[in-house]
């Protein structure tokens, strides 16, 4: 009973495909005998590969650190902040803040986001 609906669906799709093909081949006539019921089960095996990279013995690893510009100042966005309010607070312009922070979206600031102000 569990396979009845899928088998019926596959049979209907097969018949529809044959009818469409027959309609496209309007000049030739072909007789096709269909089996009364067809059931095909396909099982696919899934293989998972995990790749682990390790440093060779005796080598040193380096850590990536965030680089900052000397003399730069940063501000952490709090609830209710806009780029305009931050610019006003630090006596600068929205254009200047946008230049200093090319990756930020002025309409989508998030609480805790750090932006450069100088």
């Amino acid at each position: 009973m569990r396979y009845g609906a899928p088998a019926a669906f596959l049979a209907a799709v097969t018949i529809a495909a044959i009818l469409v093909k027959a309609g496209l081949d309007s000049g030739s006539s072909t007789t096709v005998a269909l089996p009364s019921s067809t059931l095909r089960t396909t099982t696919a095996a899934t293989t998972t590969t995990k790749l682990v990279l390790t440093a060779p013995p005796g080598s040193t690893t380096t850590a990536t650190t965030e680089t900052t510009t000397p003399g730069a100042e940063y501000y952490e966005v709090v609830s209710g902040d806009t780029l305009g309010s931050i610019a006003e607070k630090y006596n600068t312009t929205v254009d200047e803040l946008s230049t200093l922070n090319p990756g930020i979206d002025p309409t989508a600031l998030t609480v805790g986001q750090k932006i450069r102000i100088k």
Side-chain angles (χ1 to χ4, degrees):
M1 188 69 176
R2 184 176 182 182
Y3 299 106
F9 175 76
L10 288 175
V13 169
T14 303
I15 291 169
I18 291 171
L19 291 174
V20 168
K21 183 171 177 3
L24 294 176
D25 295 336
S26 60
S28 63
S29 62
T30 304
T31 305
V32 178
L34 296 176
S36 59
S37 69
T38 303
L39 179 63
R40 178 184 291 180
T41 304
T42 304
T43 305
T46 303
T47 304
T48 303
T49 304
K50 183 177 180 181
L51 177 63
V52 179
L53 300 175
T54 58
S59 68
T60 59
T61 59
T62 57
T64 304
T65 59
E66 183 178 321
T67 59
T68 57
T69 305
E73 292 182 31
Y74 292 85
Y75 174 78
E76 187 171 328
V77 177
V78 295
S79 180
D81 276 343
T82 64
L83 217 50
S85 68
I86 297 168
E88 188 176 316
K89 190 182 298 184
Y90 289 95
N91 197 27
T92 187
T93 64
V94 172
D95 288 335
E96 182 63 25
L97 290 178
S98 295
T99 302
L100 290 172
N101 301 281
I104 65 167
D105 180 1
T107 61
L109 296 178
T110 56
V111 174
Q113 181 178 9
K114 292 186 180 184
I115 63 169
R116 185 174 169 192
I117 56 170
K118 291 190 181 190

